[in-house]
mmCIF file of all heavy atoms in Angstrom:
data_model
loop_
_atom_site.group_PDB
_atom_site.id
_atom_site.type_symbol
_atom_site.label_atom_id
_atom_site.label_comp_id
_atom_site.label_asym_id
_atom_site.label_seq_id
_atom_site.Cartn_x
_atom_site.Cartn_y
_atom_site.Cartn_z
ATOM 1 N N TYR Y 196 12.445 -8.586 10.728
ATOM 2 C CA TYR Y 196 11.326 -8.536 9.783
ATOM 3 C C TYR Y 196 10.507 -9.805 9.969
ATOM 4 O O TYR Y 196 11.010 -10.918 9.764
ATOM 5 C CB TYR Y 196 11.824 -8.437 8.345
ATOM 6 C CG TYR Y 196 10.700 -8.540 7.325
ATOM 7 C CD1 TYR Y 196 9.800 -7.496 7.150
ATOM 8 C CD2 TYR Y 196 10.530 -9.689 6.558
ATOM 9 C CE1 TYR Y 196 8.763 -7.586 6.236
ATOM 10 C CE2 TYR Y 196 9.500 -9.788 5.633
ATOM 11 C CZ TYR Y 196 8.615 -8.737 5.482
ATOM 12 O OH TYR Y 196 7.589 -8.829 4.579
ATOM 13 N N ALA Y 197 9.249 -9.654 10.371
ATOM 14 C CA ALA Y 197 8.323 -10.780 10.522
ATOM 15 C C ALA Y 197 7.263 -10.640 9.439
ATOM 16 O O ALA Y 197 6.302 -9.877 9.589
ATOM 17 C CB ALA Y 197 7.690 -10.769 11.917
ATOM 18 N N GLY Y 198 7.456 -11.341 8.330
ATOM 19 C CA GLY Y 198 6.641 -11.101 7.141
ATOM 20 C C GLY Y 198 5.668 -12.210 6.823
ATOM 21 O O GLY Y 198 5.609 -13.254 7.482
ATOM 22 N N GLY Y 199 4.889 -11.969 5.771
ATOM 23 C CA GLY Y 199 3.938 -12.955 5.273
ATOM 24 C C GLY Y 199 4.648 -14.019 4.452
ATOM 25 O O GLY Y 199 5.882 -14.082 4.420
ATOM 26 N N THR Y 229 15.105 -12.471 9.981
ATOM 27 C CA THR Y 229 14.112 -12.412 8.910
ATOM 28 C C THR Y 229 13.305 -13.703 8.907
ATOM 29 O O THR Y 229 13.861 -14.781 8.682
ATOM 30 C CB THR Y 229 14.779 -12.218 7.538
ATOM 31 O OG1 THR Y 229 15.519 -10.994 7.537
ATOM 32 C CG2 THR Y 229 13.744 -12.174 6.429
ATOM 33 N N LEU Y 230 12.014 -13.599 9.165
ATOM 34 C CA LEU Y 230 11.147 -14.770 9.218
ATOM 35 C C LEU Y 230 9.932 -14.572 8.320
ATOM 36 O O LEU Y 230 9.534 -13.442 8.028
ATOM 37 C CB LEU Y 230 10.670 -15.020 10.657
ATOM 38 C CG LEU Y 230 11.751 -15.362 11.699
ATOM 39 C CD1 LEU Y 230 11.113 -15.555 13.067
ATOM 40 C CD2 LEU Y 230 12.522 -16.610 11.294
ATOM 41 N N HIS Y 231 9.347 -15.705 7.895
ATOM 42 C CA HIS Y 231 8.171 -15.680 7.027
ATOM 43 C C HIS Y 231 7.123 -16.634 7.578
ATOM 44 O O HIS Y 231 7.447 -17.724 8.041
ATOM 45 C CB HIS Y 231 8.525 -16.108 5.598
ATOM 46 C CG HIS Y 231 9.689 -15.379 5.024
ATOM 47 N ND1 HIS Y 231 9.585 -14.097 4.550
ATOM 48 C CD2 HIS Y 231 10.981 -15.748 4.873
ATOM 49 C CE1 HIS Y 231 10.786 -13.702 4.115
ATOM 50 N NE2 HIS Y 231 11.635 -14.684 4.308
ATOM 51 N N ASP Y 232 5.884 -16.219 7.528
ATOM 52 C CA ASP Y 232 4.775 -17.067 7.957
ATOM 53 C C ASP Y 232 3.528 -16.567 7.230
ATOM 54 O O ASP Y 232 3.640 -16.061 6.113
ATOM 55 C CB ASP Y 232 4.616 -17.020 9.481
ATOM 56 C CG ASP Y 232 3.950 -18.266 10.051
ATOM 57 O OD1 ASP Y 232 2.902 -18.654 9.526
ATOM 58 O OD2 ASP Y 232 4.467 -18.841 11.042
ATOM 59 N N ASP Y 233 2.389 -16.627 7.872
ATOM 60 C CA ASP Y 233 1.151 -16.165 7.242
ATOM 61 C C ASP Y 233 0.845 -14.739 7.703
ATOM 62 O O ASP Y 233 1.440 -14.235 8.649
ATOM 63 C CB ASP Y 233 0.003 -17.099 7.611
ATOM 64 C CG ASP Y 233 -1.147 -17.032 6.610
ATOM 65 O OD1 ASP Y 233 -1.064 -16.223 5.669
ATOM 66 O OD2 ASP Y 233 -2.117 -17.790 6.778
ATOM 67 N N PHE Y 234 -0.118 -14.086 7.012
ATOM 68 C CA PHE Y 234 -0.541 -12.736 7.397
ATOM 69 C C PHE Y 234 -1.603 -12.822 8.493
ATOM 70 O O PHE Y 234 -2.731 -12.358 8.318
ATOM 71 C CB PHE Y 234 -1.103 -11.987 6.183
ATOM 72 C CG PHE Y 234 -0.067 -11.524 5.197
ATOM 73 C CD1 PHE Y 234 -0.034 -12.041 3.907
ATOM 74 C CD2 PHE Y 234 0.859 -10.556 5.536
ATOM 75 C CE1 PHE Y 234 0.901 -11.602 2.988
ATOM 76 C CE2 PHE Y 234 1.809 -10.104 4.622
ATOM 77 C CZ PHE Y 234 1.833 -10.638 3.347
ATOM 78 N N THR Y 235 -1.252 -13.419 9.642
ATOM 79 C CA THR Y 235 -2.204 -13.592 10.725
ATOM 80 C C THR Y 235 -1.566 -13.222 12.055
ATOM 81 O O THR Y 235 -0.343 -13.191 12.190
ATOM 82 C CB THR Y 235 -2.694 -15.047 10.812
ATOM 83 O OG1 THR Y 235 -1.586 -15.895 11.142
ATOM 84 C CG2 THR Y 235 -3.314 -15.509 9.496
ATOM 85 N N ALA Y 236 -2.422 -12.976 13.055
ATOM 86 C CA ALA Y 236 -1.921 -12.682 14.391
ATOM 87 C C ALA Y 236 -1.225 -13.896 14.993
ATOM 88 O O ALA Y 236 -0.190 -13.764 15.671
ATOM 89 C CB ALA Y 236 -3.071 -12.228 15.283
ATOM 90 N N ASP Y 237 -1.759 -15.091 14.744
ATOM 91 C CA ASP Y 237 -1.103 -16.306 15.254
ATOM 92 C C ASP Y 237 0.312 -16.424 14.710
ATOM 93 O O ASP Y 237 1.239 -16.804 15.433
ATOM 94 C CB ASP Y 237 -1.911 -17.539 14.855
ATOM 95 C CG ASP Y 237 -3.168 -17.710 15.695
ATOM 96 O OD1 ASP Y 237 -3.259 -17.069 16.763
ATOM 97 O OD2 ASP Y 237 -4.066 -18.465 15.269
ATOM 98 N N ALA Y 238 0.483 -16.091 13.426
ATOM 99 C CA ALA Y 238 1.815 -16.143 12.830
ATOM 100 C C ALA Y 238 2.735 -15.127 13.482
ATOM 101 O O ALA Y 238 3.921 -15.404 13.739
ATOM 102 C CB ALA Y 238 1.733 -15.891 11.328
ATOM 103 N N GLY Y 239 2.220 -13.938 13.775
ATOM 104 C CA GLY Y 239 3.040 -12.926 14.445
ATOM 105 C C GLY Y 239 3.517 -13.387 15.805
ATOM 106 O O GLY Y 239 4.680 -13.185 16.180
ATOM 107 N N ARG Y 240 2.639 -14.040 16.545
ATOM 108 C CA ARG Y 240 3.025 -14.547 17.860
ATOM 109 C C ARG Y 240 4.096 -15.627 17.727
ATOM 110 O O ARG Y 240 5.074 -15.641 18.492
ATOM 111 C CB ARG Y 240 1.797 -15.089 18.596
ATOM 112 C CG ARG Y 240 2.123 -15.609 19.977
ATOM 113 C CD ARG Y 240 0.883 -15.864 20.804
ATOM 114 N NE ARG Y 240 1.245 -16.262 22.150
ATOM 115 C CZ ARG Y 240 0.607 -15.902 23.245
ATOM 116 N NH1 ARG Y 240 -0.428 -15.092 23.153
ATOM 117 N NH2 ARG Y 240 0.994 -16.329 24.425
ATOM 118 N N ARG Y 241 3.922 -16.530 16.772
ATOM 119 C CA ARG Y 241 4.919 -17.585 16.570
ATOM 120 C C ARG Y 241 6.283 -16.996 16.226
ATOM 121 O O ARG Y 241 7.323 -17.408 16.758
ATOM 122 C CB ARG Y 241 4.470 -18.531 15.449
ATOM 123 C CG ARG Y 241 3.347 -19.468 15.814
ATOM 124 C CD ARG Y 241 3.191 -20.564 14.769
ATOM 125 N NE ARG Y 241 2.837 -20.054 13.454
ATOM 126 C CZ ARG Y 241 1.582 -19.948 13.013
ATOM 127 N NH1 ARG Y 241 0.565 -20.278 13.813
ATOM 128 N NH2 ARG Y 241 1.339 -19.515 11.798
ATOM 129 N N MET Y 242 6.279 -16.028 15.328
ATOM 130 C CA MET Y 242 7.558 -15.475 14.864
ATOM 131 C C MET Y 242 8.278 -14.695 15.962
ATOM 132 O O MET Y 242 9.508 -14.804 16.106
ATOM 133 C CB MET Y 242 7.332 -14.606 13.621
ATOM 134 C CG MET Y 242 7.035 -15.410 12.373
ATOM 135 S SD MET Y 242 6.984 -14.427 10.836
ATOM 136 C CE MET Y 242 5.342 -13.715 10.954
ATOM 137 N N VAL Y 243 7.540 -13.909 16.760
ATOM 138 C CA VAL Y 243 8.222 -13.128 17.785
ATOM 139 C C VAL Y 243 8.774 -14.042 18.880
ATOM 140 O O VAL Y 243 9.819 -13.745 19.487
ATOM 141 C CB VAL Y 243 7.305 -12.039 18.357
ATOM 142 C CG1 VAL Y 243 6.307 -12.597 19.369
ATOM 143 C CG2 VAL Y 243 8.138 -10.929 19.009
ATOM 144 N N GLU Y 244 8.119 -15.162 19.145
ATOM 145 C CA GLU Y 244 8.664 -16.119 20.112
ATOM 146 C C GLU Y 244 10.015 -16.642 19.651
ATOM 147 O O GLU Y 244 10.955 -16.785 20.444
ATOM 148 C CB GLU Y 244 7.682 -17.267 20.324
ATOM 149 C CG GLU Y 244 6.438 -16.878 21.119
ATOM 150 C CD GLU Y 244 5.406 -17.985 21.168
ATOM 151 O OE1 GLU Y 244 5.594 -19.000 20.459
ATOM 152 O OE2 GLU Y 244 4.415 -17.833 21.903
ATOM 153 N N ILE Y 245 10.128 -16.921 18.353
ATOM 154 C CA ILE Y 245 11.417 -17.378 17.799
ATOM 155 C C ILE Y 245 12.452 -16.267 17.883
ATOM 156 O O ILE Y 245 13.603 -16.484 18.295
ATOM 157 C CB ILE Y 245 11.228 -17.845 16.339
ATOM 158 C CG1 ILE Y 245 10.324 -19.081 16.286
ATOM 159 C CG2 ILE Y 245 12.576 -18.129 15.686
ATOM 160 C CD1 ILE Y 245 9.899 -19.464 14.886
ATOM 161 N N LEU Y 246 12.068 -15.057 17.504
ATOM 162 C CA LEU Y 246 13.003 -13.930 17.477
ATOM 163 C C LEU Y 246 13.525 -13.594 18.876
ATOM 164 O O LEU Y 246 14.712 -13.315 19.065
ATOM 165 C CB LEU Y 246 12.332 -12.708 16.856
ATOM 166 C CG LEU Y 246 12.019 -12.810 15.359
ATOM 167 C CD1 LEU Y 246 11.076 -11.692 14.938
ATOM 168 C CD2 LEU Y 246 13.305 -12.768 14.536
ATOM 169 N N LEU Y 247 12.642 -13.623 19.858
ATOM 170 C CA LEU Y 247 13.056 -13.257 21.216
ATOM 171 C C LEU Y 247 13.888 -14.345 21.871
ATOM 172 O O LEU Y 247 14.523 -14.106 22.902
ATOM 173 C CB LEU Y 247 11.821 -12.944 22.068
ATOM 174 C CG LEU Y 247 11.031 -11.698 21.643
ATOM 175 C CD1 LEU Y 247 9.789 -11.529 22.503
ATOM 176 C CD2 LEU Y 247 11.907 -10.446 21.707
ATOM 177 N N ASP Y 248 13.891 -15.530 21.276
ATOM 178 C CA ASP Y 248 14.705 -16.629 21.806
ATOM 179 C C ASP Y 248 16.127 -16.609 21.250
ATOM 180 O O ASP Y 248 16.963 -17.432 21.651
ATOM 181 C CB ASP Y 248 14.029 -17.968 21.474
ATOM 182 C CG ASP Y 248 14.575 -19.120 22.297
ATOM 183 O OD1 ASP Y 248 14.776 -18.935 23.512
ATOM 184 O OD2 ASP Y 248 14.811 -20.206 21.722
ATOM 185 N N ARG Y 249 16.421 -15.670 20.328
ATOM 186 C CA ARG Y 249 17.777 -15.561 19.776
ATOM 187 C C ARG Y 249 18.752 -15.116 20.866
ATOM 188 O O ARG Y 249 18.370 -14.455 21.842
ATOM 189 C CB ARG Y 249 17.828 -14.545 18.626
ATOM 190 C CG ARG Y 249 16.858 -14.796 17.485
ATOM 191 C CD ARG Y 249 17.200 -16.028 16.703
ATOM 192 N NE ARG Y 249 16.455 -16.099 15.444
ATOM 193 C CZ ARG Y 249 16.142 -17.232 14.837
ATOM 194 N NH1 ARG Y 249 16.487 -18.404 15.371
ATOM 195 N NH2 ARG Y 249 15.481 -17.219 13.695
ATOM 196 N N VAL Y 256 10.649 -4.812 15.776
ATOM 197 C CA VAL Y 256 10.119 -5.752 14.783
ATOM 198 C C VAL Y 256 9.297 -4.981 13.766
ATOM 199 O O VAL Y 256 8.367 -4.250 14.128
ATOM 200 C CB VAL Y 256 9.245 -6.841 15.435
ATOM 201 C CG1 VAL Y 256 8.630 -7.740 14.359
ATOM 202 C CG2 VAL Y 256 10.051 -7.673 16.423
ATOM 203 N N ALA Y 258 6.664 -5.704 11.234
ATOM 204 C CA ALA Y 258 5.710 -6.754 10.893
ATOM 205 C C ALA Y 258 5.135 -6.494 9.503
ATOM 206 O O ALA Y 258 4.784 -5.357 9.169
ATOM 207 C CB ALA Y 258 4.585 -6.810 11.929
ATOM 208 N N GLY Y 259 4.994 -7.550 8.721
ATOM 209 C CA GLY Y 259 4.544 -7.405 7.347
ATOM 210 C C GLY Y 259 3.082 -7.088 7.177
ATOM 211 O O GLY Y 259 2.622 -6.867 6.055
ATOM 212 N N ILE Y 263 -0.141 -9.310 11.787
ATOM 213 C CA ILE Y 263 1.106 -9.880 12.309
ATOM 214 C C ILE Y 263 1.592 -9.055 13.491
ATOM 215 O O ILE Y 263 2.013 -9.592 14.521
ATOM 216 C CB ILE Y 263 2.184 -9.942 11.208
ATOM 217 C CG1 ILE Y 263 1.792 -10.958 10.138
ATOM 218 C CG2 ILE Y 263 3.540 -10.307 11.799
ATOM 219 C CD1 ILE Y 263 2.747 -11.007 8.952
ATOM 220 N N VAL Y 267 2.542 -10.021 17.344
ATOM 221 C CA VAL Y 267 3.819 -9.686 17.974
ATOM 222 C C VAL Y 267 3.582 -9.053 19.342
ATOM 223 O O VAL Y 267 4.282 -9.357 20.321
ATOM 224 C CB VAL Y 267 4.648 -8.756 17.057
ATOM 225 C CG1 VAL Y 267 5.876 -8.225 17.790
ATOM 226 C CG2 VAL Y 267 5.074 -9.489 15.788
#
Side-chain angles (χ1 to χ4, degrees):
Y196 174 72
T229 300
L230 296 179
H231 309 283
D232 205 311
D233 202 357
F234 286 115
T235 64
D237 284 344
R240 181 168 184 142
R241 286 193 298 266
M242 287 188 280
V243 78
E244 288 173 352
I245 295 170
L246 292 167
L247 294 177
D248 196 43
R249 305 292 193 208
V256 176
I263 292 175
V267 171

